[in-house]
Amino acid sequence: MSHAKNFYAGPSVLPISILEEIQKNMVDYMGSGLSLMETSHRSPEYDEVHMNSLNLIREIYGVPDNFKILFIGGGATMQFSMIPLNFLSGGRSCDFTLTGAWSKKAYNDAIKLGKVNVIFDGKDESYTRLPDPASLKATPGASYFHMTSNETIGGIQWKDWPDTGDVPIICDMSSDIMSRPIPFEKFGMIYAGAQKNLGPSGVAIVIIREDMLEKCNPDITAYLDYRIHAKKDSLYNTPPVFPIYAMSLILQKVKADGGLKSIQNRNEEKSRLIYDTIDKSGNFYKSPVDVSVRSDMNVVFTLDSTDLEKEFIAEAKKRQMVGLKGHVSVGGCRASIYNSLPISDVMALVDFMNEFQKEKS
């Protein structure tokens, strides 16, 4: 079978070697006589997978000892509710930066549960730029300062972080988690759905500073309480076994391939190849995002007409390049180039973009 070049925004590309490893062990996991998906989550086989995943995230990402790593079902969208439920009780407030579709969704859930101060809203510029982080000031006494590190739909990414003083930053990193080193000392919590860079959908990774756990709502129900998950090593209930297993394989590959710095270098090279093609096209391709905050994960661009964009996407599909249609809310084109996408696939896309321009010019 010829595998397509996968530019979907999520669920997204997985390494062929990982898919083949999963296939090999799907029915009989490591000679145990059972699939891991039907084995008790209390079994030695799953316990090894679970703890290995937690330990690899800590090692590869450089997570400090005073942070807990949690696996929680429901993806990042459930975190939009869990965060305010834990940290906005008792009349507390939080700060928000609105930088695109996903930060707005998190905001829309938060305002139903507590007071929200909007520190920045990029609506007037169609969410195509970000402010200087040094210009952002947290509200004294706020419980947290929410950011979305990379907007998947808009193709915009924070390159640096504000100094929020005693107000902890909580950051949705769903679409760029483990794509670059981050300064953990800046954050109280980061969270991400796995289905962009770390595996299939179905699990969220939460990395939370231990002192944040002391601030959780004491009256919250069990599954929504971060303290419960931290105390039980994310085994309070049956965890999302399959995505955690796939994630463990991806993490092993990340380590074998040189770790986080190698990933960052490859991601920057991949995005540079496409942005250079856009910038050198003489406006045949156009990126709406300010150059200083262009995403290394999701490259958005437009052509002169929707008809031309449809033709571009259709012709790309004939060449087994899928997922290049922009989100329905913004249109245009989008190439999602997450960690697992080979640079050879990006080079094939760039060659096609040049050929298409030559043919249509």
Side-chain angles (χ1 to χ4, degrees), residues 97-356:
T97 56
L98 302 182
T99 53
W102 289 106
S103 56
K104 288 191 291 181
K105 287 183 178 182
Y107 166 81
N108 287 336
D109 280 351
I111 59 175
K112 296 174 183 177
L113 297 166
K115 182 183 177 183
V116 179
N117 313 301
V118 176
I119 303 302
F120 170 79
D121 188 351
K123 181 179 179 180
D124 289 345
E125 295 177 275
S126 302
Y127 303 106
T128 57
R129 75 162 195 91
L130 295 172
D132 178 355
S135 70
L136 300 177
K137 304 299 179 187
T139 303
S143 291
Y144 60 91
F145 186 103
H146 189 278
M147 304 177 71
T148 302
S149 59
N150 183 78
E151 289 283 0
T152 317
I153 293 172
I156 192 169
Q157 184 180 39
W158 290 95
K159 305 298 182 180
D160 203 356
W161 313 100
D163 181 359
T164 55
D166 293 334
V167 179
I169 297 175
I170 294 182
C171 190
D172 178 359
M173 294 190 177
S174 290
S175 51
D176 65 353
I177 190 169
M178 211 170 282
S179 67
R180 54 180 174 169
I182 63 166
F184 274 94
E185 68 273 11
K186 292 264 190 178
F187 298 95
M189 171 178 151
I190 70 170
Y191 66 99
Q195 68 274 13
K196 314 288 188 181
N197 274 336
L198 292 178
S201 61
V203 63
I205 298 91
V206 172
I207 306 176
I208 185 168
R209 208 172 61 209
E210 289 179 347
D211 67 288
M212 294 287 290
L213 297 171
E214 300 168 7
K215 303 173 184 177
C216 291
N217 178 1
D219 301 317
I220 201 167
T221 54
Y223 191 78
L224 300 177
D225 190 334
Y226 290 120
R227 294 169 299 182
I228 296 290
H229 294 283
K231 185 178 180 180
K232 299 292 185 179
D233 282 328
S234 301
L235 290 166
Y236 169 71
N237 68 322
T238 306
V241 169
F242 178 74
I244 293 172
Y245 164 52
M247 179 167 59
S248 74
L249 297 177
I250 289 173
L251 291 166
Q252 291 170 44
K253 187 176 188 303
V254 168
K255 182 178 177 179
D257 288 347
L260 203 56
K261 193 61 181 176
S262 293
I263 285 178
Q264 181 183 28
N265 291 339
R266 287 196 298 273
N267 286 335
E268 290 175 352
E269 183 178 1
K270 287 187 295 186
S271 65
R272 184 168 57 249
L273 283 167
I274 303 177
Y275 286 125
D276 283 351
T277 302
I278 292 169
D279 293 340
K280 293 175 182 177
S281 71
N283 280 332
F284 184 85
Y285 303 106
K286 295 177 282 292
S287 172
V289 179
D290 185 273
V291 173
S292 65
V293 290
R294 286 173 168 177
S295 171
D296 287 331
M297 298 282 98
N298 310 98
V299 180
V300 297
F301 57 97
T302 61
L303 286 81
D304 276 343
S305 68
T306 54
D307 286 342
L308 195 59
E309 289 167 355
K310 289 177 182 178
E311 190 175 351
F312 174 87
I313 292 163
E315 186 60 34
K317 190 172 183 179
K318 292 178 184 178
R319 302 183 185 213
Q320 288 198 298
M321 299 179 194
V322 298
L324 288 166
K325 184 178 180 180
H327 192 270
V328 64
S329 64
V330 296
C333 301
R334 172 177 57 178
S336 295
I337 51 175
Y338 299 120
N339 288 358
S340 294
L341 186 76
I343 193 168
S344 58
D345 288 5
V346 173
M347 294 173 71
L349 173 60
V350 164
D351 287 343
F352 167 63
M353 291 173 71
N354 288 325
E355 291 172 23
F356 188 81

Side-chain angles (χ1 to χ4, degrees), residues 14-29 35-37 199-200 242-243 245-250:
L14 294 169
I16 297 295
S17 61
I18 301 300
L19 294 172
E20 291 173 342
E21 179 75 8
I22 292 170
Q23 181 185 47
K24 182 178 74 174
N25 286 298
M26 180 63 77
V27 175
D28 181 4
Y29 177 72
S35 170
L36 192 66
M37 272 56 78
F242 178 74
Y245 164 52
M247 179 167 59
S248 74
L249 297 177
I250 289 173

